[in-house]
Amino acid sequence: MSAFPTADVLVKGGRIWRGLGLPEASALALWKGRVLAAGTESDLSGLAGADTRLVDLRGRLAVPGFCDAHEHLIPIGLGLVELDFKPPRATAIAQIVDAVAAEARRLGPGAWIIGRGYDHFHLDVKRHPLREELDRAAPDNPVYIRRTCGHMGVANSRALTAAGIPEGVNDPPGGAFERRDGRLTGLVQERAQEVVYRVMPKPDRTNLIEAIERAGRHCLSQGLTSVVDAGVGLRAKFEEWFAYREARQTGRLPVRAYLSFTGGPDGALADARAAGLVTGIGDETMRVGPVKFWADGSAGGRTAAMSEPYRCCGGEKGMLCFEDREMEAMVAEVHAAGWQIAIHAIGDAAIGQAIVAIEKALKARPKPDARPRIEHCGFVTDRQIGEMKRLGIIPSPQPVFIHEFGDLYVDVLGEARSDASYPMRRWHHRGLRPAAGSDAPVSSDNPLIGLHVMVTRKTDRGRVLGSSETLPLADALHTYTANGAYSAFAEAERGTLEVGMLADLAVIDRDLFSVDPAGLLEAKVDLTILGGEVRYDRLGEL
Ligand SMILES: [Zn+2]
């Protein structure tokens, strides 16, 4: 009798990339949701029994399941049923107006119409939609459509009235209502959006669970087996936690989730703490993650806080959401309470604020291996990279931003700053552990696009931004697998296909190591295996 049990699944017949620096395999045995053994088919033949399920790679590539280290599962799921204006879906203002008008007819007067994803740089008019255009499309409905970055949106007159925003309104701290000739244009920026969100219909528990399930299934179709939800509470405060918990208990959470709770005055953190939650609570399927604070906005929307002005707009440098001392106090307090810290910071001024806040918090309450994260961390300076290394700060970048917004970055920030943005190679080579993500639904959550960017630094129009920041494919895969696990304190259970690790795999339709880089954009995920179970099967082969 063999000393080994019989494998539940035997993966064979292709190339199995098990993790950076690990020997590759051509066969993998899975047992009780974990990797039992790796080697060649003949090495593992003794592990196959009558009940062993065979997964024949037929020359394809298997990799550890991808981890999206920064996305928004609930907004992805809710967004799958909202009006979607993401380019190339909307490239003309008329398409937005027509879709809003059609939705008004469908829903009837009074109902909120919610859309997302427009990018004014990709619209024929090269500007945000106007309040009046949305009024004409839906005179009897409140309408709010968010820009692709989520940091701003356009409200029509009904929505402004519903939110109690008069023409003479003052801008709130950290936000703005755009005006032209003394009249509101409908554009609502940064924290001013909270005024609109307050009156928008909140998804209920059922809607939230449906969103989690819908989004999770979508993630599986992208080869993602784990995600970091970078903002639990964004849409429905602490109710989102109850939805996650119920989804988990009823088998409706399709992917592993590490949950980052929104901090700040309007976040879900206070309720999370009152409920006794803290980073680390949970299991390998769902775990409480960090507290997330916002230091600034987005580069494309010109609200990311920079130390040097944007190129376009009269010396503007973006905006910080909080004063330094406010940020420092919030970060120190939750760090001392035992939470991992995650700070959204895109511009170098915001990244600087985040680094100082983290350093002060660590100094006041030293904690080995605190793994603070800076989310996005796009326009980081060389000196800041050194400080991040010293403090053990994890960058959580979105390579896909270069694909989708790279040309826009050049427009608003110039070439030098855009070339140096999201410095995957410098981080990797200087010993930091960048954990790649997508920020979906802001950008596509297809990890193959992120891998393509890391290997080529190409925008979707083919421009190369900073060729010195390219990474070899294996290093790029590492950022999308092991580093994501590390950013969630989960490197002992997932992120590689070492023996004993969770049996989470993605099978790609071609061997990415032997195709031209352009092939990465055409590649598809054929199979996704989570905990040894096939959860996505594009071709229905099994
Ligand atoms: Zn995000």
Side-chain angles (χ1 to χ4, degrees):
M1 219 182 113
S2 161
F4 271 105
T6 303
D8 298 325
V9 179
L10 188 66
V11 182
K12 65 181 186 68
R15 182 172 192 171
I16 301 170
W17 185 85
R18 298 168 59 214
L20 189 63
L22 294 171
E24 287 188 10
S26 56
L28 202 64
L30 313 179
W31 180 62
K32 290 195 185 298
R34 295 192 177 252
V35 177
L36 173 67
T40 64
E41 196 176 337
S42 62
D43 291 339
L44 306 191
S45 58
L47 299 174
D51 295 331
T52 301
R53 189 173 196 185
L54 291 181
V55 174
D56 190 348
L57 294 175
R58 299 193 311 270
R60 292 173 293 183
L61 173 70
V63 297
F66 294 115
C67 171
D68 192 324
H70 180 127
E71 53 80 274
H72 302 277
L73 206 63
I74 287 173
I76 291 171
L78 295 173
L80 287 170
V81 293
E82 287 174 355
L83 295 177
D84 182 2
F85 298 126
K86 235 178 133 41
R89 269 194 198 88
T91 52
I93 190 78
Q95 291 169 300
I96 295 179
V97 170
D98 291 349
V100 169
E103 191 71 350
R105 285 192 296 276
R106 191 176 77 81
L107 296 174
W112 275 83
I113 296 172
I114 299 167
R116 68 184 174 95
Y118 81 88
D119 181 343
H120 54 297
F121 292 92
H122 285 264
L123 289 178
D124 51 354
V125 291
K126 304 281 179 222
R127 59 161 171 77
H128 299 274
L130 297 171
R131 160 189 179 182
E132 289 78 11
E133 288 166 333
L134 301 180
D135 285 347
R136 276 197 295 279
D140 302 315
N141 301 72
V143 180
Y144 192 64
I145 59 174
R146 288 188 310 281
R147 190 180 177 276
T148 180
C149 63
H151 287 270
M152 59 195 70
V154 184
N156 74 347
S157 299
R158 282 267 176 164
L160 293 173
T161 306
I165 302 168
E167 287 296 334
V169 67
N170 289 322
D171 288 340
F177 298 101
E178 191 191 56
R179 287 177 186 76
R180 200 157 297 144
D181 305 323
R183 183 177 150 81
L184 296 171
T185 63
L187 185 69
V188 181
Q189 293 173 300
E190 299 301 332
R191 289 177 65 195
Q193 293 197 105
E194 291 163 10
V195 184
V196 182
Y197 288 157
R198 242 169 252 151
V199 296
M200 275 166 61
K202 297 275 176 292
D204 63 17
R205 176 101 42 108
T206 307
N207 304 143
L208 294 170
I209 294 172
E210 284 166 1
I212 289 167
E213 188 170 33
R214 201 183 298 126
R217 285 179 196 274
H218 175 74
C219 289
L220 289 173
S221 76
Q222 308 292 313
L224 296 161
T225 50
S226 49
V227 301
V228 177
D229 184 321
V232 173
L234 274 179
R235 294 293 180 86
K237 304 254 174 110
F238 198 55
E239 184 64 13
E240 295 186 12
W241 160 256
F242 292 118
Y244 264 112
R245 206 176 55 174
E246 193 174 327
R248 162 89 175 95
Q249 285 162 351
T250 54
R252 299 178 70 188
L253 173 61
V255 287
R256 304 187 197 281
Y258 188 61
L259 305 178
S260 173
F261 285 80
T262 50
D266 264 359
L269 177 65
D271 286 335
R273 290 175 69 175
L277 300 184
V278 70
T279 303
I281 287 180
D283 60 15
E284 62 208 20
T285 301
M286 188 173 98
R287 197 169 273 147
V288 175
V291 174
K292 161 111 173 261
F293 295 112
W294 275 261
D296 67 349
S298 76
R302 303 197 308 262
T303 49
M306 303 283 176
S307 59
E308 298 292 325
Y310 286 89
R311 240 175 39 149
C312 45
C313 21
E316 270 176 40
K317 293 182 179 176
M319 52 177 113
L320 288 169
C321 298
F322 296 97
E323 309 261 342
D324 291 350
R325 57 184 168 74
E326 291 174 300
M327 178 63 81
E328 288 163 17
M330 292 189 302
V331 168
E333 208 266 320
V334 297
H335 166 72
W339 289 80
Q340 185 185 16
I341 299 299
I343 303 177
H344 166 122
I346 292 182
D348 62 336
I351 293 166
Q353 183 189 62
I355 290 172
V356 171
I358 289 166
E359 176 156 36
K360 288 187 175 174
L362 288 171
K363 208 165 179 183
R365 184 73 68 101
K367 182 180 175 190
D369 209 20
R371 302 193 196 181
R373 306 164 50 121
I374 295 184
E375 306 300 318
H376 314 300
C377 207
F379 296 85
V380 64
T381 66
D382 230 39
R383 194 174 54 81
Q384 288 171 337
I385 293 175
E387 289 167 358
M388 291 174 69
K389 169 71 181 153
R390 178 170 57 79
L391 296 166
I393 298 176
I394 299 169
S396 165
Q398 290 63 46
V400 62
F401 282 2
I402 301 249
H403 178 85
E404 296 195 14
F405 313 129
D407 294 286
L408 170 58
Y409 292 159
V410 176
D411 287 350
V412 300
L413 287 160
E415 245 169 57
R417 280 192 277 178
S418 303
D419 283 355
S421 71
Y422 296 97
M424 300 303 296
R425 180 187 284 256
R426 271 180 293 155
W427 276 325
H428 187 70
H429 281 206
R430 288 170 71 176
L432 287 86
R433 304 200 53 167
S438 70
D439 206 13
V442 171
S443 288
S444 166
D445 58 4
N446 177 357
L448 292 158
I449 301 177
L451 292 173
H452 179 258
V453 167
M454 286 190 263
V455 170
T456 66
R457 295 286 291 187
K458 273 189 186 166
T459 72
D460 58 359
R461 292 185 213 163
R463 174 177 205 146
V464 174
L465 284 193
S467 57
S468 64
E469 290 297 345
T470 54
L471 282 180
L473 179 62
D475 293 348
L477 282 166
H478 183 66
T479 73
Y480 241 119
T481 52
N483 283 0
Y486 178 81
S487 79
F489 295 95
E491 72 277 13
E493 60 196 27
R494 57 181 167 85
T496 72
L497 295 173
E498 288 166 275
V499 170
M501 299 290 265
L502 291 168
D504 295 355
L505 291 77
V507 175
I508 321 286
D509 68 350
R510 64 200 77 190
D511 178 1
L512 301 178
F513 288 97
S514 61
V515 298
D516 189 71
L520 292 169
L521 284 180
E522 288 149 25
K524 295 211 160 25
V525 170
D526 279 350
L527 293 171
T528 305
I529 297 174
L530 188 144
E533 304 269 346
V534 177
R535 295 288 174 82
Y536 173 73
D537 180 357
R538 185 171 73 92
L539 304 167
E541 63 188 273
L542 293 170

